[in-house]
Amino acid sequence: MRILVVGAGATGGFFGARLVRAGADVTFLVRPHRATALRDRGLRITGLAEEEVIAPELVTAAELSDRPYDLVLLSVKATAFKQAIDDAAPAIGPQSAIVPMLNGMAHLDELNARFGAGPVLGGVAKVVTTLNSDGDIVRLAPLAGLTIGEQDGRPSPRVDRIRALLADAGIDAGVSADIVAAMWHKWVFITTVGALTCLMRGTVGDVNAVPGGSRLGPAILAEAAAVAAAAGFPVPADELAATTATVTQPLSSFAPSMYRDVVDGRAAEVEHVFGDLVTRARALSVDTPLLDLATLHLRVHQHRTLTM
């Protein structure tokens, strides 16, 4: 199976490296400046007592041939998504399987419109990684899972083959019979922890350390979950309980990648993750005052970042 990993950042680089280490035929589609850095230093993964360096097979958009790949793992920031699918288009054919690993749902609609629903699977990636100043991937927690599935939920031999490939690479791989719901449920989690930490400019533990802080996370969660329920994807009670526990945990150092982006002055995925959700909330007549505030806050951050 010929695999193209679009992006070699904290998520795509991590999963792609695992596949390379397992002997899979993997090529990374990257921007020229990233290609230069990876050729100089290699693709490095550190953290959790791990130190790994691979020499990745790289290609830029200008070098990409029109020979389709069997599997395309799409792992870029939402801010680079449109350019990424333009760059990857020559490598995607009718028999290709595309697994997106972005947060939110807007990318699924765009992929379906661009390539047809046939090649496009749903995907939910769960990994806690970041890039350091050298461009190396730093693991911050052991979690490393990828769940996939056909959009219509039907059993699928190609999904089973991809799951087996991922599992052989040491990735906690799963198949969902309702991957669209799973994507919605992760969206609820991401917007909840993102709004909490970005609005308050602190980790979960920082927020819960002050009077009234422990009430904010559950209030944001209630809004996000109400949007999902109105859209037809109610979050199961056990997932709501788990997210509530996450956002109310005292002394927790947890903060999502969006928080790290904001604190470090980098562009954030505000429209794809927050803007799209509050737009859907309006269409579904769901009130989301806290999520509206978080969206405005992040839009101001984005404006400042892009105009500096």
Side-chain angles (χ1 to χ4, degrees):
M1 186 179 290
R2 296 178 68 241
I3 303 167
L4 183 69
V5 180
V6 184
T11 300
F14 175 81
F15 286 119
R18 285 291 187 266
L19 289 164
V20 171
R21 189 177 65 179
D25 180 1
V26 179
T27 299
F28 294 87
L29 174 59
V30 294
R31 298 290 180 86
H33 70 278
R34 181 65 169 154
T36 298
L38 291 172
R39 288 180 177 125
D40 288 344
R41 288 182 56 80
L43 180 57
R44 297 170 177 261
I45 300 175
T46 66
L48 303 184
E50 178 178 3
E51 187 73 34
E52 179 178 14
V53 183
I54 67 167
E57 185 71 27
L58 304 172
V59 66
T60 64
E63 301 163 340
L64 188 64
S65 73
D66 58 1
R67 180 187 171 197
Y69 283 77
D70 302 303
L71 174 61
V72 177
L73 299 178
L74 183 59
S75 178
V76 295
K77 292 284 190 181
T79 49
F81 172 71
K82 292 184 185 295
Q83 184 62 55
I85 61 174
D86 284 343
D87 291 346
I92 297 172
Q95 303 307 313
S96 302
I98 306 169
V99 177
M101 294 188 283
L102 288 80
N103 294 318
M105 295 298 299
H107 63 277
L108 200 62
D109 296 335
E110 294 191 47
L111 288 169
N112 288 341
R114 178 69 178 268
F115 302 108
V120 184
L121 303 177
V124 174
K126 295 183 179 180
V127 61
V128 188
T129 52
T130 190
L131 291 183
N132 65 16
S133 59
D134 292 322
D136 301 338
I137 299 167
V138 182
R139 294 191 72 188
L140 303 175
L143 183 67
L146 179 57
T147 301
I148 61 175
E150 298 285 354
Q151 292 185 57
D152 60 7
R154 71 183 188 279
S156 166
R158 68 172 178 170
V159 166
D160 292 337
R161 287 195 298 271
I162 295 167
R163 188 213 63 78
L165 179 75
L166 296 169
D168 287 345
I171 297 166
D172 182 11
V175 173
S176 173
D178 196 349
I179 192 65
V180 174
M183 292 171 68
W184 264 94
H185 298 163
K186 186 187 177 187
W187 195 9
V188 167
F189 176 81
I190 289 296
T191 51
T192 298
V193 296
L196 177 67
T197 56
C198 290
L199 273 176
M200 296 295 102
R201 282 296 201 276
T203 66
V204 167
D206 292 333
V207 178
N208 290 316
V210 301
S214 62
R215 294 196 298 271
L216 181 57
I220 297 171
L221 173 60
E223 290 185 4
V227 180
F233 303 100
V235 182
D238 60 335
E239 292 191 34
L240 289 174
T243 301
T244 299
T246 296
V247 298
T248 57
Q249 183 179 357
L251 306 178
S252 172
S253 61
F254 176 72
S257 60
M258 183 176 289
Y259 168 78
R260 295 192 291 271
D261 287 339
V262 169
V263 169
D264 292 340
R266 296 190 294 263
E269 299 176 305
V270 53
E271 296 305 332
H272 194 85
V273 176
F274 282 89
D276 187 35
L277 188 69
V278 298
T279 296
R280 294 180 193 236
R282 297 294 82 75
L284 295 165
S285 300
V286 178
D287 291 330
T288 54
L290 292 171
L291 289 172
D292 292 346
L293 179 61
T295 303
L296 181 60
H297 177 79
L298 287 164
R299 281 172 173 162
V300 171
H301 163 79
Q302 194 82 331
H303 174 76
R304 183 188 302 120
T305 301
L306 297 178
T307 55
M308 287 180 62

